[in-house]
Amino acid sequence: MSRTQNELLLAHLLGGRTITRIQADHLYRIAALPRRIADLKEKGHNIVAVDKYDATGRRYTEYSLVTRNRFGQKVAA
């Protein structure tokens, strides 16, 4: 049984990695990353989006999962 796009994306983020739209398409064939992020947020996952700029000045968004450590402090997954 193959894993869903949401499962693949969540596993990626739980691994402490960030992801961009281009990476999601290349790694997991996820063309609608913002929709998949919204799906995970609806399930209660705390995912943050940070706008960044590449070397040419083009803007892109990088997503990461935020969790809490044993002291209740927010930390990247």
Side-chain angles (χ1 to χ4, degrees):
M1 184 167 124
S2 63
R3 293 167 52 176
T4 67
Q5 289 183 342
N6 287 347
E7 291 169 338
L8 291 168
L9 180 57
L10 182 58
H12 180 96
L13 295 171
L14 284 170
R17 298 182 291 174
T18 61
I19 197 160
T20 65
R21 183 189 58 77
I22 291 172
Q23 290 170 324
D25 187 35
H26 178 74
L27 294 171
Y28 307 112
R29 310 289 277 174
I30 298 173
L33 181 59
R35 181 63 249 171
R36 300 291 72 83
I37 293 293
D39 291 344
L40 294 177
K41 284 183 172 184
E42 288 171 8
K43 292 187 182 245
H45 297 286
N46 188 7
I47 299 171
V48 295
V50 177
D51 287 337
K52 296 192 169 192
Y53 295 87
D54 68 13
T56 67
R58 190 172 192 175
R59 185 176 60 87
Y60 65 95
T61 303
E62 183 178 76
Y63 297 93
S64 61
L65 180 68
V66 176
T67 59
R68 295 187 182 270
N69 64 16
R70 64 188 175 117
F71 304 109
Q73 300 165 320
K74 289 183 179 180
V75 295

Coordinates of all heavy atoms in Angstrom, one line a residue:
M1 N 0.8 -1.2 0.0 CA 0.0 0.0 0.0 C 0.9 1.2 0.0 O 1.8 1.4 0.8 CB -0.9 0.0 1.2 CG -1.9 1.1 1.3 SD -3.1 0.8 2.6 CE -2.9 2.2 3.5
S2 N 0.6 2.2 -0.9 CA 1.4 3.4 -1.0 C 0.9 4.4 0.0 O -0.2 4.4 0.4 CB 1.4 3.9 -2.4 OG 0.1 4.3 -2.7
R3 N 1.8 5.3 0.4 CA 1.5 6.3 1.4 C 0.9 7.5 0.7 O 1.3 7.8 -0.5 CB 2.8 6.7 2.2 CG 3.2 5.6 3.1 CD 4.6 5.7 3.6 NE 4.9 7.0 4.3 CZ 6.0 7.3 4.9 NH1 7.0 6.4 5.0 NH2 6.2 8.5 5.5
T4 N 0.0 8.2 1.3 CA -0.6 9.4 0.7 C 0.4 10.5 0.7 O 1.4 10.5 1.4 CB -1.8 9.8 1.5 OG1 -1.4 10.3 2.8 CG2 -2.8 8.7 1.7
Q5 N 0.1 11.6 -0.1 CA 1.0 12.7 -0.1 C 1.1 13.4 1.3 O 2.1 13.8 1.7 CB 0.4 13.7 -1.1 CG 0.6 13.3 -2.5 CD 0.1 14.4 -3.5 OE1 -0.6 15.3 -3.2 NE2 0.6 14.2 -4.8
N6 N 0.0 13.4 2.0 CA 0.0 14.0 3.4 C 0.9 13.2 4.3 O 1.7 13.8 5.1 CB -1.4 14.1 4.0 CG -2.3 15.1 3.3 OD1 -1.8 16.0 2.6 ND2 -3.5 15.1 3.6
E7 N 0.9 11.9 4.2 CA 1.7 11.0 5.0 C 3.2 11.2 4.6 O 4.1 11.3 5.5 CB 1.3 9.6 4.8 CG 0.0 9.2 5.5 CD -0.5 7.8 5.1 OE1 0.0 7.3 4.0 OE2 -1.3 7.3 5.8
L8 N 3.5 11.3 3.4 CA 4.9 11.5 2.9 C 5.4 12.9 3.4 O 6.5 13.0 3.9 CB 4.9 11.5 1.4 CG 4.7 10.1 0.7 CD1 4.6 10.3 -0.8 CD2 5.9 9.2 1.1
L9 N 4.5 13.9 3.3 CA 4.9 15.2 3.7 C 5.1 15.3 5.2 O 6.1 15.9 5.7 CB 3.8 16.2 3.2 CG 4.1 17.7 3.6 CD1 5.4 18.2 3.0 CD2 2.9 18.5 3.0
L10 N 4.2 14.7 6.0 CA 4.4 14.8 7.4 C 5.6 14.0 7.8 O 6.4 14.5 8.7 CB 3.1 14.2 8.1 CG 3.1 14.2 9.6 CD1 3.3 15.6 10.1 CD2 1.9 13.6 10.1
A11 N 5.9 12.9 7.3 CA 7.1 12.1 7.6 C 8.4 13.0 7.3 O 9.3 13.0 8.1 CB 7.2 10.8 6.8
H12 N 8.4 13.7 6.2 CA 9.5 14.6 5.8 C 9.7 15.6 6.9 O 10.8 15.8 7.4 CB 9.2 15.2 4.5 CG 10.3 16.1 4.0 ND1 11.2 15.7 3.1 CD2 10.5 17.4 4.2 CE1 12.0 16.7 2.9 NE2 11.6 17.8 3.5
L13 N 8.6 16.3 7.3 CA 8.7 17.4 8.3 C 9.0 16.9 9.6 O 9.8 17.5 10.4 CB 7.4 18.2 8.3 CG 7.0 18.9 7.0 CD1 5.6 19.5 7.1 CD2 8.0 20.0 6.7
L14 N 8.5 15.7 10.0 CA 8.8 15.1 11.3 C 10.3 14.7 11.4 O 10.8 14.6 12.5 CB 7.9 13.9 11.6 CG 6.5 14.2 12.0 CD1 5.7 12.9 12.0 CD2 6.4 14.8 13.3
G15 N 10.9 14.5 10.3 CA 12.4 14.2 10.2 C 13.2 15.5 10.5 O 14.4 15.4 10.4
G16 N 12.6 16.6 10.8 CA 13.3 17.8 11.1 C 13.7 18.6 9.9 O 14.5 19.5 10.0
R17 N 13.2 18.3 8.7 CA 13.6 18.9 7.5 C 12.5 20.0 7.1 O 11.3 19.9 7.4 CB 13.7 17.9 6.4 CG 14.8 16.9 6.7 CD 15.1 15.9 5.6 NE 13.9 15.0 5.5 CZ 13.8 14.1 4.6 NH1 14.6 14.0 3.6 NH2 12.7 13.3 4.6
T18 N 12.9 20.9 6.4 CA 12.0 21.9 5.8 C 11.7 21.5 4.4 O 12.4 20.6 3.8 CB 12.7 23.3 5.7 OG1 13.9 23.2 4.9 CG2 13.1 23.8 7.1
I19 N 10.7 22.2 3.7 CA 10.4 21.8 2.4 C 9.8 23.0 1.6 O 9.2 23.9 2.2 CB 9.4 20.6 2.3 CG1 9.3 20.0 0.9 CG2 8.0 21.1 2.8 CD1 8.8 18.6 0.9
T20 N 10.1 23.1 0.4 CA 9.6 24.1 -0.5 C 8.8 23.5 -1.6 O 8.7 22.2 -1.7 CB 10.8 24.9 -1.2 OG1 11.5 24.0 -2.1 CG2 11.8 25.5 -0.2
R21 N 8.1 24.3 -2.4 CA 7.2 23.8 -3.4 C 8.0 23.0 -4.4 O 7.6 21.9 -4.8 CB 6.5 24.9 -4.1 CG 5.5 24.5 -5.2 CD 5.0 25.7 -6.0 NE 6.0 26.4 -6.6 CZ 6.7 26.1 -7.7 NH1 6.4 24.9 -8.3 NH2 7.6 26.8 -8.2
I22 N 9.1 23.4 -4.8 CA 9.9 22.7 -5.8 C 10.4 21.4 -5.3 O 10.4 20.4 -6.0 CB 11.1 23.6 -6.3 CG1 10.5 24.8 -7.1 CG2 12.1 22.8 -7.1 CD1 11.6 25.8 -7.5
Q23 N 10.9 21.4 -4.0 CA 11.3 20.1 -3.4 C 10.2 19.1 -3.3 O 10.3 17.9 -3.6 CB 11.9 20.4 -2.0 CG 13.2 21.1 -2.0 CD 13.6 21.6 -0.6 OE1 12.7 21.9 0.2 NE2 14.9 21.5 -0.3
A24 N 9.0 19.6 -2.9 CA 7.8 18.7 -2.7 C 7.5 18.1 -4.1 O 7.1 16.9 -4.1 CB 6.6 19.5 -2.2
D25 N 7.5 18.9 -5.1 CA 7.2 18.3 -6.5 C 8.3 17.3 -6.9 O 7.9 16.2 -7.4 CB 7.1 19.5 -7.5 CG 6.6 19.0 -8.8 OD1 5.8 18.1 -8.9 OD2 7.1 19.6 -9.8
H26 N 9.5 17.6 -6.7 CA 10.6 16.8 -7.1 C 10.7 15.5 -6.3 O 10.8 14.4 -6.8 CB 11.9 17.5 -7.0 CG 13.1 16.7 -7.4 ND1 13.4 16.4 -8.7 CD2 14.1 16.1 -6.6 CE1 14.5 15.6 -8.7 NE2 14.9 15.4 -7.4
L27 N 10.6 15.6 -5.0 CA 10.7 14.4 -4.1 C 9.5 13.5 -4.0 O 9.6 12.3 -4.0 CB 11.0 14.9 -2.7 CG 12.4 15.5 -2.5 CD1 12.5 16.1 -1.1 CD2 13.5 14.6 -2.7
Y28 N 8.3 14.2 -4.0 CA 7.1 13.4 -3.7 C 6.0 13.6 -4.7 O 4.9 13.1 -4.6 CB 6.5 13.8 -2.3 CG 7.6 13.7 -1.2 CD1 8.0 14.8 -0.6 CD2 8.1 12.4 -0.9 CE1 9.0 14.7 0.4 CE2 9.0 12.3 0.1 CZ 9.5 13.4 0.7 OH 10.4 13.3 1.7
R29 N 6.2 14.3 -5.8 CA 5.2 14.6 -6.9 C 4.0 15.3 -6.3 O 2.9 15.1 -6.7 CB 4.8 13.3 -7.6 CG 5.9 12.4 -8.1 CD 6.7 13.0 -9.2 NE 5.9 12.7 -10.4 CZ 6.3 13.2 -11.6 NH1 7.3 13.9 -11.7 NH2 5.6 12.9 -12.7
I30 N 4.3 16.2 -5.3 CA 3.2 17.0 -4.7 C 3.2 18.4 -5.4 O 4.1 19.2 -5.2 CB 3.4 17.2 -3.2 CG1 3.4 15.9 -2.5 CG2 2.4 18.2 -2.6 CD1 3.8 16.0 -1.0
A31 N 2.2 18.6 -6.3 CA 2.1 19.8 -7.0 C 1.4 20.9 -6.3 O 1.7 22.1 -6.5 CB 1.4 19.6 -8.3
A32 N 0.5 20.6 -5.3 CA -0.2 21.6 -4.6 C 0.2 21.6 -3.1 O -0.6 21.2 -2.2 CB -1.7 21.3 -4.7
L33 N 1.4 22.0 -2.9 CA 2.0 22.0 -1.5 C 1.2 22.8 -0.5 O 0.9 22.3 0.6 CB 3.5 22.4 -1.5 CG 4.1 22.4 -0.1 CD1 4.1 21.0 0.5 CD2 5.6 22.9 -0.3
P34 N 0.8 24.0 -0.9 CA 0.0 24.8 0.1 C -1.3 24.0 0.5 O -1.7 24.1 1.7 CB -0.4 26.1 -0.6 CG 0.8 26.2 -1.6 CD 1.1 24.8 -2.0
R35 N -1.9 23.3 -0.4 CA -3.1 22.6 0.0 C -2.8 21.4 1.0 O -3.5 21.1 1.9 CB -3.8 22.0 -1.3 CG -5.1 21.2 -1.0 CD -6.2 22.0 -0.4 NE -6.4 21.6 1.0 CZ -7.2 22.2 1.9 NH1 -7.8 23.3 1.6 NH2 -7.3 21.7 3.1
R36 N -1.7 20.7 0.7 CA -1.3 19.6 1.6 C -0.9 20.2 3.0 O -1.2 19.6 4.0 CB -0.1 18.9 1.0 CG -0.4 18.2 -0.4 CD -1.3 17.0 -0.4 NE -2.7 17.4 -0.2 CZ -3.6 17.8 -1.1 NH1 -3.1 17.9 -2.4 NH2 -4.8 18.0 -0.8
I37 N -0.3 21.3 3.0 CA 0.1 22.0 4.3 C -1.2 22.3 5.0 O -1.3 22.1 6.2 CB 1.0 23.2 4.0 CG1 2.3 22.9 3.5 CG2 1.1 24.1 5.3 CD1 3.2 22.1 4.4
A38 N -2.2 22.9 4.3 CA -3.5 23.2 4.9 C -4.1 21.9 5.5 O -4.7 22.0 6.6 CB -4.4 23.9 3.9
D39 N -4.0 20.8 4.8 CA -4.6 19.5 5.3 C -4.0 19.2 6.6 O -4.7 18.8 7.6 CB -4.3 18.4 4.3 CG -5.1 18.5 3.0 OD1 -6.1 19.3 2.9 OD2 -4.8 17.8 2.0
L40 N -2.6 19.3 6.7 CA -1.9 18.9 7.9 C -2.3 19.9 9.1 O -2.4 19.5 10.2 CB -0.4 18.9 7.7 CG 0.1 17.7 6.7 CD1 1.6 17.8 6.5 CD2 -0.3 16.4 7.2
K41 N -2.4 21.1 8.7 CA -2.8 22.1 9.8 C -4.2 21.8 10.3 O -4.4 22.0 11.5 CB -2.7 23.6 9.2 CG -1.3 24.1 9.0 CD -1.3 25.5 8.5 CE 0.0 26.1 8.6 NZ 0.0 27.6 8.2
E42 N -5.1 21.4 9.4 CA -6.4 21.1 9.9 C -6.4 19.9 10.8 O -7.3 19.8 11.6 CB -7.3 20.8 8.6 CG -7.7 22.0 7.8 CD -8.3 21.7 6.5 OE1 -8.7 20.5 6.3 OE2 -8.5 22.6 5.7
K43 N -5.4 19.1 10.7 CA -5.3 17.9 11.6 C -4.5 18.3 12.9 O -4.3 17.4 13.7 CB -4.6 16.8 10.9 CG -5.5 16.2 9.8 CD -4.9 14.9 9.2 CE -5.8 14.4 8.1 NZ -6.4 13.2 8.4
G44 N -4.2 19.6 13.0 CA -3.6 20.0 14.3 C -2.1 20.2 14.3 O -1.5 20.5 15.3
H45 N -1.4 20.0 13.2 CA 0.0 20.1 13.1 C 0.4 21.6 13.0 O -0.2 22.3 12.2 CB 0.6 19.3 11.9 CG 0.4 17.8 12.0 ND1 1.1 17.0 12.9 CD2 -0.5 17.0 11.4 CE1 0.6 15.8 12.8 NE2 -0.3 15.8 11.9
N46 N 1.4 22.0 13.7 CA 1.8 23.4 13.8 C 2.9 23.6 12.7 O 4.1 23.3 13.0 CB 2.3 23.8 15.2 CG 2.6 25.2 15.3 OD1 2.4 26.0 14.4 ND2 3.2 25.6 16.4
I47 N 2.6 24.0 11.6 CA 3.5 24.2 10.5 C 3.6 25.7 10.2 O 2.6 26.4 10.1 CB 3.0 23.5 9.2 CG1 3.0 22.0 9.5 CG2 4.0 23.7 8.0 CD1 2.3 21.1 8.4
V48 N 4.8 26.2 10.1 CA 5.1 27.6 9.8 C 5.7 27.8 8.4 O 6.3 26.9 7.9 CB 6.0 28.2 10.9 CG1 5.4 28.2 12.2 CG2 7.3 27.5 10.9
A49 N 5.3 28.9 7.8 CA 5.8 29.2 6.5 C 6.7 30.5 6.6 O 6.4 31.4 7.3 CB 4.7 29.5 5.6
V50 N 7.9 30.4 6.0 CA 8.8 31.5 6.0 C 9.1 31.9 4.6 O 9.5 31.0 3.8 CB 10.1 31.1 6.8 CG1 11.1 32.3 6.7 CG2 9.9 30.7 8.2
D51 N 8.9 33.1 4.3 CA 9.2 33.6 2.9 C 10.7 33.9 2.8 O 11.3 34.5 3.7 CB 8.5 34.9 2.6 CG 7.0 34.6 2.3 OD1 6.7 33.5 1.9 OD2 6.2 35.5 2.4
K52 N 11.4 33.4 1.8 CA 12.8 33.5 1.6 C 13.0 34.0 0.1 O 12.1 34.0 -0.7 CB 13.5 32.2 1.8 CG 13.4 31.8 3.3 CD 14.4 30.7 3.5 CE 14.5 30.4 5.0 NZ 15.6 29.5 5.3
Y53 N 14.2 34.4 -0.2 CA 14.6 34.8 -1.5 C 15.8 34.1 -2.0 O 16.8 33.9 -1.3 CB 14.9 36.3 -1.5 CG 13.6 37.1 -1.2 CD1 13.3 37.4 0.2 CD2 12.8 37.6 -2.2 CE1 12.1 38.1 0.5 CE2 11.6 38.3 -1.8 CZ 11.3 38.5 -0.5 OH 10.1 39.2 -0.2
D54 N 15.8 33.7 -3.3 CA 16.9 33.0 -3.8 C 18.0 34.0 -4.3 O 17.8 35.2 -4.2 CB 16.5 32.0 -4.9 CG 16.0 32.7 -6.2 OD1 16.1 33.9 -6.4 OD2 15.4 31.9 -7.0
A55 N 19.0 33.5 -4.9 CA 20.1 34.4 -5.4 C 19.7 35.4 -6.4 O 20.3 36.5 -6.6 CB 21.3 33.6 -5.9
T56 N 18.6 35.1 -7.1 CA 18.2 36.1 -8.2 C 17.1 37.0 -7.7 O 16.6 37.9 -8.4 CB 17.6 35.3 -9.4 OG1 16.4 34.6 -8.9 CG2 18.5 34.3 -9.9
G57 N 16.8 36.9 -6.4 CA 15.8 37.8 -5.8 C 14.3 37.3 -5.9 O 13.4 37.9 -5.4
R58 N 14.2 36.1 -6.4 CA 12.9 35.5 -6.5 C 12.4 34.9 -5.1 O 13.2 34.2 -4.5 CB 12.9 34.4 -7.5 CG 11.6 33.8 -7.9 CD 11.7 32.9 -9.1 NE 10.3 32.6 -9.6 CZ 10.1 31.9 -10.7 NH1 11.1 31.4 -11.3 NH2 8.9 31.7 -11.1
R59 N 11.2 35.2 -4.8 CA 10.7 34.8 -3.5 C 10.1 33.4 -3.5 O 9.6 32.9 -4.5 CB 9.5 35.7 -3.0 CG 9.0 35.4 -1.6 CD 7.9 36.4 -1.2 NE 6.8 36.5 -2.1 CZ 5.7 35.7 -2.0 NH1 5.6 34.8 -1.0 NH2 4.7 35.8 -2.8
Y60 N 10.4 32.6 -2.5 CA 9.8 31.3 -2.3 C 9.4 31.1 -0.9 O 9.9 31.8 0.0 CB 10.7 30.2 -2.8 CG 12.0 30.1 -2.0 CD1 12.1 29.1 -1.0 CD2 13.1 30.9 -2.3 CE1 13.3 29.0 -0.3 CE2 14.3 30.7 -1.6 CZ 14.4 29.8 -0.6 OH 15.5 29.7 0.1
T61 N 8.6 30.1 -0.6 CA 8.2 29.8 0.8 C 8.8 28.5 1.3 O 8.7 27.5 0.5 CB 6.6 29.8 0.9 OG1 6.1 31.0 0.4 CG2 6.2 29.5 2.3
E62 N 9.3 28.5 2.5 CA 9.9 27.3 3.1 C 9.0 26.9 4.3 O 8.7 27.8 5.1 CB 11.3 27.6 3.5 CG 12.0 26.4 4.1 CD 13.4 26.7 4.4 OE1 13.7 27.4 5.4 OE2 14.3 26.3 3.6
Y63 N 8.6 25.7 4.4 CA 7.7 25.2 5.4 C 8.5 24.3 6.4 O 9.3 23.6 6.0 CB 6.5 24.4 4.8 CG 5.6 25.2 3.9 CD1 5.9 25.2 2.5 CD2 4.6 25.9 4.4 CE1 5.0 25.9 1.7 CE2 3.7 26.6 3.6 CZ 4.0 26.6 2.2 OH 3.2 27.4 1.4
S64 N 8.1 24.4 7.7 CA 8.7 23.6 8.7 C 7.7 23.3 9.8 O 6.7 24.0 9.9 CB 10.0 24.2 9.3 OG 9.6 25.4 9.9
L65 N 7.9 22.2 10.5 CA 7.0 21.7 11.5 C 7.6 22.2 12.9 O 8.8 22.1 13.1 CB 6.9 20.2 11.5 CG 6.0 19.6 12.6 CD1 4.6 19.9 12.3 CD2 6.2 18.1 12.6
V66 N 6.7 22.8 13.7 CA 7.1 23.3 15.0 C 6.5 22.3 16.1 O 5.3 22.0 16.0 CB 6.7 24.7 15.3 CG1 7.0 25.2 16.7 CG2 7.2 25.6 14.2
T67 N 7.4 21.9 17.0 CA 6.9 21.0 18.1 C 7.4 21.7 19.4 O 8.0 22.7 19.4 CB 7.5 19.6 18.0 OG1 9.0 19.7 18.0 CG2 7.1 18.9 16.7
R68 N 7.0 21.1 20.5 CA 7.4 21.6 21.8 C 8.3 20.6 22.5 O 8.1 19.4 22.4 CB 6.2 21.9 22.6 CG 5.3 23.0 22.1 CD 4.2 23.4 23.0 NE 3.4 24.4 22.5 CZ 3.6 25.7 22.6 NH1 4.6 26.1 23.3 NH2 2.8 26.6 22.0
N69 N 9.4 21.1 23.2 CA 10.3 20.2 23.9 C 9.6 19.9 25.3 O 8.5 20.4 25.6 CB 11.7 20.8 24.0 CG 11.7 22.1 24.8 OD1 10.8 22.5 25.6 ND2 12.8 22.9 24.7
R70 N 10.4 19.2 26.1 CA 9.8 18.8 27.4 C 9.5 20.0 28.3 O 8.9 19.8 29.4 CB 10.7 17.8 28.1 CG 12.1 18.3 28.4 CD 12.9 17.1 28.9 NE 14.3 17.5 29.1 CZ 14.9 17.5 30.3 NH1 14.2 17.0 31.3 NH2 16.1 17.9 30.4
F71 N 10.1 21.2 28.0 CA 9.8 22.4 28.8 C 8.7 23.2 28.3 O 8.4 24.3 28.8 CB 11.1 23.2 28.9 CG 12.3 22.4 29.5 CD1 13.3 22.1 28.6 CD2 12.3 22.0 30.8 CE1 14.4 21.4 29.1 CE2 13.4 21.3 31.3 CZ 14.4 21.0 30.5
G72 N 8.1 22.7 27.2 CA 7.0 23.5 26.6 C 7.4 24.6 25.6 O 6.6 25.3 25.2
Q73 N 8.7 24.6 25.4 CA 9.2 25.6 24.4 C 9.1 25.1 23.0 O 9.3 24.0 22.7 CB 10.7 25.9 24.7 CG 10.9 26.4 26.1 CD 12.4 26.3 26.5 OE1 13.1 25.4 26.2 NE2 12.9 27.4 27.2
K74 N 8.7 26.1 22.1 CA 8.6 25.7 20.7 C 10.0 25.5 20.1 O 10.9 26.3 20.3 CB 7.9 26.8 19.9 CG 6.4 26.9 20.2 CD 5.8 27.9 19.3 CE 4.3 28.0 19.6 NZ 3.6 29.0 18.8
V75 N 10.1 24.4 19.4 CA 11.4 24.1 18.7 C 11.0 23.5 17.3 O 10.0 22.9 17.1 CB 12.3 23.1 19.5 CG1 12.7 23.6 20.8 CG2 11.5 21.8 19.7
A76 N 11.9 23.6 16.4 CA 11.7 23.0 15.0 C 11.8 21.5 15.2 O 12.5 21.0 16.0 CB 12.8 23.5 14.1
A77 N 11.0 20.8 14.4 CA 11.0 19.3 14.5 C 12.3 18.8 14.1 O 13.0 19.3 13.4 CB 9.8 18.8 13.6

